[in-house]
C-alpha cells in the first residue's frame, strides 16, 4: 500500500516537473545569431560559450544558434537584420557604424586608446552615448569585447608613413579607410572572410588589423612583415533587438544579462592572451615582427591627431562628454 502511494506520488511529482520544464521548452525560443568572424576566432568561441551559458541559465528556454563567418548575414547587413527583427541577436564591429554616428567611431581613432586599460576606460566612457543612440533604433548592447591592438601587415618593411604611399590597403571600417587616405594609400574595404582572396588576387597589398585576424587569415601566405604599432583596440558588440528582449520575462532577461556580463569579462581576458599567443604565431610562421621605427610611429600619430581633431568637430556635445569621461577633464 505504502509502496503504491509512493509510486503514485513519484508520478505526480514527475508530472509536475514536466509541466514546469515542459512549459519552458514549449516556449523555447531558437535565436539565430549571425556573426562576421570565423569559428576559430576568440570572439566567436566566447559567443559559443555565452550561448551555452544562456541555454543552461534559462533551462533551455533560449537556444542561441551561432552562424559564424558571415554565413547567415554578411557583416554590413547584421545590424539591420537585428534591428528589423529578422534575427533577435547578432555581433558586429561597432566602428563599422562610424559613418552613421561619430559616437560609434571613437574606439578606432588611432592612439586615443592603445592598450587594454585605456580601451576599457574608453568603452566605459562611451557606453552611455552608444546605448542611447542604439536604443533609439530599437537595439541594445549586451556586451562588448576589444580586439587585440592593431598592427600593419605589408610585403616590405614600412620605415615611414611615406612607404605606405600608393599601396593598396585593405580596410574594415570608415576609420581605417580615412587612415589609409591620409597616408596616401589606396583604401579597399574587405571583410575578414575575403582577406586571403583579396591578397592573392592582388586587390590589396597591406592591411592594419590584429595579430588575431592575421593568424585567422594566414597572413604569412601573402605578406612577410608585421609592424606592431598597437594603434587602437576596436570593440565587437553583441546587439539584441530591444523588443525581443523586452518580450522575455524578468527571470530570463536577468539570466541573459548575467551571462553577458560573464562573457564580457571572459572576452577581455581572452583578448589579452590572444595578443601574446597570436603575435608569437606570426613569428613562428615566418613573419618578421617589427617594433615600428620612431619615424613610422610619429607619422601614424600625426595622422591619429588629425583624425581625433576631425572627430571632435563632428561628434559635438556627445563627443566632448565621452572625452571628458575618458580623460577625466
Ligand atoms: N579584426 C577585424 C576587426 C579588427 C580586427 O582585429 C578585421 O580585421 O576586420
Amino acid at each position: 500500500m505504502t509502496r503504491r502511494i509512493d509510486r503514485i506520488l513519484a508520478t505526480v511529482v514527475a508530472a509536475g516537473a514536466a509541466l514546469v520544464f515542459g512549459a519552458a521548452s514549449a516556449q523555447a525560443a531558437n535565436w539565430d545569431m549571425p556573426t562576421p568572424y570565423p569559428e576559430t576566432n576568440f570572439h566567436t568561441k566566447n559567443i559559443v560559450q555565452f550561448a551555452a551559458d544562456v541555454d543552461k541559465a534559462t533551462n533551455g528556454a533560449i537556444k542561441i544558434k551561432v552562424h559564424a563567418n558571415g554565413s547567415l548575414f554578411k557583416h554590413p547587413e547584421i545590424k539591420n537584420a537585428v534591428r528589423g527583427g529578422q534575427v533577435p541577436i547578432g555581433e558586429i564591429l561597432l566602428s563599422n557604424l562610424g559613418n552613421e554616428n561619430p559616437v560609434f567611431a571613437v574606439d578606432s581613432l588611432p592612439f586615443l586608446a592603445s592598450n587594454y586599460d585605456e580601451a576599457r576606460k574608453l568603452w566605459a566612457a562611451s557606453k552611455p552615448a552608444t546605448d542611447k543612440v542604439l536604443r533609439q533604433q530599437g537595439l541594445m548592447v549586451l556586451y562588448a569585447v576589444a580586439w587585440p591592438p592593431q598592427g600593419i601587415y605589408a610585403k616590405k618593411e614600412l620605415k615611414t608613413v611615406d612607404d605606405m604611399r600608393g599601396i593598396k590597403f585593405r580596410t574594415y571600417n570608415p576609420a581605417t579607410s580615412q587612415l589609409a587616405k591620409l597616408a596616401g594609400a589606396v583604401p579597399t574595404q574587405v571583410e575578414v572572410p575575403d582577406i586571403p582572396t583579396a591578397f592573392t588576387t592582388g586587390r590589396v597589398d597591406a592591411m592594419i588589423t590584429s595579430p588575431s585576424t592575421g593568424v585567422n587569415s594566414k597572413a604569412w601566405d601573402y605578406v612577410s612583415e608585421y609592424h606592431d604599432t598597437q594603434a587602437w583596440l576596436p570593440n565587437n558588440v553583441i546587439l539584441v533587438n530591444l523588443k525581443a528582449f523586452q518580450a522575455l520575462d524578468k527571470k530570463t532577461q536577468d539570466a541573459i544579462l548575467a551571462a553577458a556580463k560573464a562573457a564580457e569579462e571572459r572576452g577581455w581576458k581572452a583578448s589579452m592572451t590572444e595578443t601574446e599567443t597570436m603575435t608569437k604565431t606570426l613569428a613562428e610562421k615566418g613573419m618578421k615582427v617589427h617594433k615600428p621605427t620612431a619615424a613610422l610611429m610619429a607619422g601614424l600619430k600625426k595622422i591619429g591627431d588629425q583624425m581625433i581633431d576631425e572627430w571632435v568637430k563632428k561628434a559635438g556635445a556627445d563627443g566632448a562628454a565621452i572625452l571628458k569621461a575618458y580623460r577625466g577633464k
Side-chain angles (χ1 to χ4, degrees), residues 37 93 147-148 150 170 172 190-192 195 208-210 213 234:
Y37 303 108
L93 181 82
W147 285 91
Q150 306 289 292
R170 178 260 165 174
Y172 61 74
V190 177
E191 292 301 333
V192 166
I195 290 177
I208 185 159
T209 186
S210 56
T213 293

Side-chain angles (χ1 to χ4, degrees), residues 1 3 43 52-53 79 83 112 131 215 219 252 261 286 292 312:
M1 182 68 192
R3 279 183 56 200
H43 286 290
D53 289 352
K79 181 207 162 199
R83 189 178 178 183
L112 179 62
D131 264 337
V215 170
T252 309
K261 195 161 179 254
V312 167

Side-chain angles (χ1 to χ4, degrees), residues 37 75 93 95-97 107-108 147-151 169-177 187-192 195 207-210 213 231-236:
Y37 303 108
H75 194 184
L93 181 82
S95 54
N96 241 17
L97 312 177
D107 67 27
S108 296
W147 285 91
Q150 306 289 292
F169 201 83
R170 178 260 165 174
T171 61
Y172 61 74
N173 65 4
T176 45
S177 175
T188 302
Q189 174 80 17
V190 177
E191 292 301 333
V192 166
I195 290 177
M207 64 178 169
I208 185 159
T209 186
S210 56
T213 293
W232 66 89
L233 297 83
N235 284 317
N236 277 2

